[in-house]
Amino acid sequence: MCGIVGYVGTDQGATDVLLEGLSQLEYRGYDSAGVALADPSIEVHKKAGELSSLESALPESQLGDEPAGIGHTRWSTHGAPSDANAHPHTDELERVAVVHNGIIGNYQELRDELTTAGIEFDSETDTEVIPHLIGSFLEQGQTNAEAFRSAIDRVEGSYAIAAVFEGDETVYAARNESPLVLGLGENGYYLASDVPAFIEYTDRVIYLDDGEFARLTPDRVVVTDDTGDVVDTTIETIAWDSEETGKSGYDHYMLKEIHEQPTALRQCLRGRLEELSGGVSLENIDEMDWNPPIRLVACGTSYHAAAFAARLFRDWGVPAQAFLASEFTATEIPLSADSLVVGVTQSGETADTMRALREANRAGSTTLAVTNVVGSSAARTCDEVLYIRAGPEIGVAATKTFASQQVALMLLAAELSNHRSRELIRELRTVPDQVQAVLDNSRAKEIATEYRNADAYFFIGRKHHRPVALEGALKMKEITYKHAEGFAAGELKHGPLALVSEKTPVFAVVTGDGPIAEKTIGNVKEVEARDTPVIAVTDGVSDVGRYADHVLEVPPSTGITSAITANVQLQLVSYWVANELGRSIDKPRHLAKSVTVE
């Protein structure tokens, strides 16, 4: 969601670093942007709208040599998008400027207290209480560092906070349940909510943990705990560079990332398949202590991957259930020391999923993170972690990370159920090439052109294809802003069939020719009888093509991997419909890449 950038150093002015960092965080979703510079007084510049609006408003002749600064892209929670509500915020005397991600749970109590003390607020945000709190402690004679820490001690909720003070070449920061990462450069130090903000400057990072504080000066970084004691930090090296976060000639990040799926899947599978035994090898996973049932918790696209995995577990003899993380509570779903809770989260920072995992930890359960981001909160919170290895994903709508989650969770299900099948291993080996074949031969663009003006889009599938139908509908909603729904195919006749018409194309995922395919074909016939266009996503084994207006082909397979290739076709349809409609594909309105508030 909101993006934070901070910099202090000697090799360049802070303004350029902050603006470049904010541009690299635009994918997270935002509605305003701003910077605060310590030079030596506090200078704040902020604007509602896109980053370009802020850049146009900056007095370039007055900027260039600032030694320290912070920047922010805001995704509104408290107060509408406006110049006043944009970050950074300052105290009344403009001695300190603050940016903040997350939600201050006790902000109204603090605001009332500060208002009673005579302080006037300029915004509707919860964030503004922080600089005013800091200012009140400065008035009591505390140092900058002391006032910052004292203010944070008063704050409740989730937060990543950064601050700069007048006359102080230092960036102060703290986190609790919202990500912050430090970058260690040769002649400067960086702070951000995500690595892409500074990856072009350094690949050496320190991830802050909950309750930790950081102080960045031109010559060093100091991390302390909530008691003020210095923390022995671990420096990690990021395994990708700035080129991986570019568009590489594609019109949109989303299209680039759809086409990166064969590579992402090969990375996910590398070193994890055992050809001779027909099993898989996941480091440390087989050593976990747990008993069924397995609970998977996730949100959005990750929830669809979790639902796909839950069915696999059940098919292979292990009771499992997928829960929306926002609905998951340990009091309603009893957990014990031998329970296993699997959190599926691309970013490793999703607030609802992190809350569910923390509840599971408090209950004494074993927790496992399935995530894309090394060093993320989920990776550090859980007992074990399974990385999906998809590489950086910039587009807000998840594509390659969903496919990688599907494959990683297949491996997990095989490992934990002790499911051994040379046939499955062979299929997994061929999946990257099958996805490439879909990308090379898809007719999705042609179909998108024909149906771009549809009133709504419906997606149906059974068993392993039901989560694919749900994900197909979600992608269509996210980037086209058109109404779309995904259903278990058999549920159409229990209500949704009332909605179909000649202006509501139905995408039906049908592979193989067994009983499941036959039943889904029956649902296709129900739709066809009502003059509704049908697009079959099929491997051609069944005769579903006879009843469809169009066919999107996927390579034949003998098992569950068709759920991956079918999804790629649906991703392409959504992309091309959005492109035809001129939508903001990489940054859909109102949405954020990493949802760090509940």
Side-chain angles (χ1 to χ4, degrees):
M1 302 182 77
C2 307
I4 285 177
V5 179
Y7 171 73
V8 58
T10 59
D11 58 344
Q12 54 192 319
T15 302
D16 290 340
V17 176
L18 298 178
L19 292 177
E20 176 59 27
L22 292 178
S23 73
Q24 296 301 321
L25 295 180
E26 285 189 288
Y27 71 93
R28 293 170 69 92
Y30 71 104
D31 48 50
S32 61
V35 295
L37 307 164
D39 185 32
S41 61
I42 297 294
E43 291 185 40
V44 173
H45 306 277
K46 54 185 183 177
K47 277 286 184 181
E50 297 198 351
L51 184 59
S52 57
S53 298
L54 171 66
E55 292 172 325
S56 298
L58 289 174
E60 294 184 17
S61 61
Q62 301 175 31
L63 303 175
D65 299 319
E66 311 80 10
I70 53 177
H72 192 266
T73 50
R74 176 178 184 254
W75 189 84
S76 299
T77 56
H78 294 69
S82 68
D83 291 355
N85 288 333
H87 297 207
H89 294 287
T90 68
D91 70 320
E92 288 187 305
L93 299 181
E94 297 188 350
R95 294 165 294 184
V96 59
V98 169
V99 294
H100 160 237
N101 292 352
I103 292 179
I104 304 303
N106 62 335
Y107 94 96
Q108 191 61 59
E109 171 190 334
L110 294 172
R111 185 174 179 127
D112 291 345
E113 174 186 318
L114 291 163
T115 300
T116 300
I119 291 174
E120 296 184 6
F121 283 75
D122 296 323
S123 78
E124 303 168 85
T125 68
D126 56 337
T127 301
E128 196 183 350
V129 301
I130 302 169
H132 290 308
L133 277 174
I134 294 173
S136 69
F137 288 113
L138 291 174
E139 289 295 315
Q140 297 174 26
Q142 293 189 5
T143 65
N144 293 346
E146 291 169 343
F148 180 76
R149 186 177 287 271
S150 295
I152 301 304
D153 287 344
R154 293 291 315 278
V155 168
E156 299 174 2
S158 63
Y159 54 78
I161 296 170
V164 289
F165 292 78
E166 64 177 356
D168 188 353
E169 295 181 6
T170 305
V171 175
Y172 299 85
R175 79 154 269 176
N176 184 59
E177 299 181 4
S178 192
L180 272 182
V181 57
L182 310 180
L184 313 181
E186 292 184 5
N187 297 299
Y189 296 97
Y190 306 84
L191 170 79
S193 44
D194 205 354
V195 170
F198 55 69
I199 191 63
E200 73 169 277
Y201 304 113
T202 182
D203 60 359
R204 300 171 66 239
V205 305
I206 296 172
Y207 291 96
L208 290 186
D209 283 323
D210 287 347
E212 290 184 342
F213 292 73
R215 189 170 71 253
L216 289 69
T217 63
D219 56 0
R220 65 173 179 164
V221 167
V222 177
V223 178
T224 55
D225 61 20
D226 56 3
T227 65
D229 293 331
V230 174
V231 174
D232 186 13
T233 57
T234 300
I235 299 174
E236 300 185 29
T237 301
I238 300 299
W240 43 272
D241 58 37
S242 58
E243 290 186 6
E244 291 187 70
T245 62
K247 291 182 183 177
S248 303
Y250 288 92
D251 289 338
H252 297 95
Y253 284 111
M254 183 179 180
L255 187 60
K256 170 180 177 269
E257 289 155 3
I258 289 172
H259 281 266
E260 286 177 340
Q261 288 178 114
T263 298
L265 295 177
R266 291 187 183 98
Q267 291 172 171
C268 183
L269 292 167
R270 188 178 64 247
R272 291 170 166 174
L273 301 181
E274 296 180 345
E275 303 284 355
L276 294 179
S277 68
V280 302
S281 177
L282 301 176
E283 186 177 359
N284 298 329
I285 301 300
D286 60 348
E287 299 174 3
M288 294 189 305
D289 292 326
W290 63 280
N291 281 315
I294 294 172
R295 282 90 169 192
L296 298 103
V297 294
C299 305
T301 288
S302 295
Y303 171 73
H304 299 154
F308 171 75
R311 177 161 291 280
L312 274 184
F313 275 113
R314 295 195 296 270
D315 286 349
W316 292 342
V318 177
Q321 187 174 357
F323 294 90
L324 289 165
S326 58
E327 297 288 317
F328 183 90
T329 61
T331 55
E332 296 178 6
I333 303 155
L335 300 175
S336 61
D338 58 0
S339 298
L340 174 60
V341 178
V342 179
V344 187
T345 162
Q346 185 281 133
S347 66
E349 306 293 348
T350 310
D352 290 316
T353 306
M354 289 305 304
R355 179 200 53 76
L357 290 171
R358 292 186 181 104
E359 281 199 41
N361 281 340
R362 286 193 291 270
S365 302
T366 298
T367 52
L368 168 66
V370 179
T371 187
N372 192 37
V373 182
V374 176
S376 61
S377 295
R380 288 177 286 123
T381 295
C382 291
D383 298 304
E384 298 293 344
V385 58
L386 174 61
Y387 289 111
I388 67 172
R389 301 175 179 171
E393 184 176 70
I394 304 302
V396 167
T399 52
K400 67 176 180 177
T401 54
F402 178 65
S404 296
Q405 285 173 336
Q406 286 178 295
V407 168
L409 289 165
M410 280 189 202
L411 298 176
L412 180 65
E415 174 84 358
L416 296 186
S417 67
N418 200 30
H419 179 80
R420 295 185 175 271
S421 166
R422 292 182 181 177
E423 183 179 280
L424 173 64
I425 300 303
R426 284 194 297 270
E427 282 198 34
L428 287 171
R429 284 284 188 205
T430 62
V431 162
D433 291 335
Q434 290 182 340
V435 170
Q436 189 63 58
V438 170
L439 295 170
D440 292 342
N441 301 298
S442 178
R443 294 179 56 239
K445 186 175 183 180
E446 170 189 333
I447 290 169
T449 300
E450 181 167 349
Y451 295 109
R452 64 181 179 179
N453 293 319
D455 291 341
Y457 302 86
F458 297 131
F459 298 80
I460 62 172
R462 285 178 182 264
K463 306 296 183 181
H464 302 108
H465 293 150
R466 176 178 175 267
V468 174
L470 297 176
E471 176 62 14
L474 179 61
K475 284 294 151 288
M476 188 68 76
K477 295 173 191 175
E478 287 178 314
I479 63 170
T480 71
Y481 315 153
K482 304 272 280 194
H483 181 71
E485 293 295 338
F487 304 103
E491 290 300 299
L492 266 181
K493 59 184 175 291
H494 296 293
L497 202 59
L499 299 174
V500 302
S501 72
E502 69 278 0
K503 295 286 286 181
T504 57
V506 174
F507 292 80
V509 183
V510 184
T511 61
D513 61 353
I516 293 174
E518 291 175 6
K519 290 180 180 179
T520 309
I521 291 171
N523 303 130
V524 167
K525 291 177 181 178
E526 295 167 358
V527 170
E528 182 203 28
R530 288 157 177 83
D531 297 323
T532 298
V534 175
I535 300 93
V537 183
T538 181
D539 55 7
V541 176
S542 72
D543 64 349
V544 67
R546 294 178 54 188
Y547 310 104
D549 297 89
H550 300 279
V551 169
L552 289 170
E553 296 181 355
V554 298
S557 67
T558 57
I560 53 178
T561 55
S562 61
I564 300 168
T565 52
N567 177 66
V568 175
Q569 287 283 24
L570 298 182
Q571 291 173 345
L572 289 168
V573 171
S574 293
Y575 172 82
W576 288 115
V577 171
N579 193 65
E580 290 277 343
L581 295 172
R583 304 303 194 216
S584 177
I585 292 174
D586 288 331
K587 294 179 286 183
R589 66 187 184 195
H590 309 318
L591 299 183
K593 182 65 177 174
S594 179
V595 184
T596 54
V597 295
E598 292 185 45

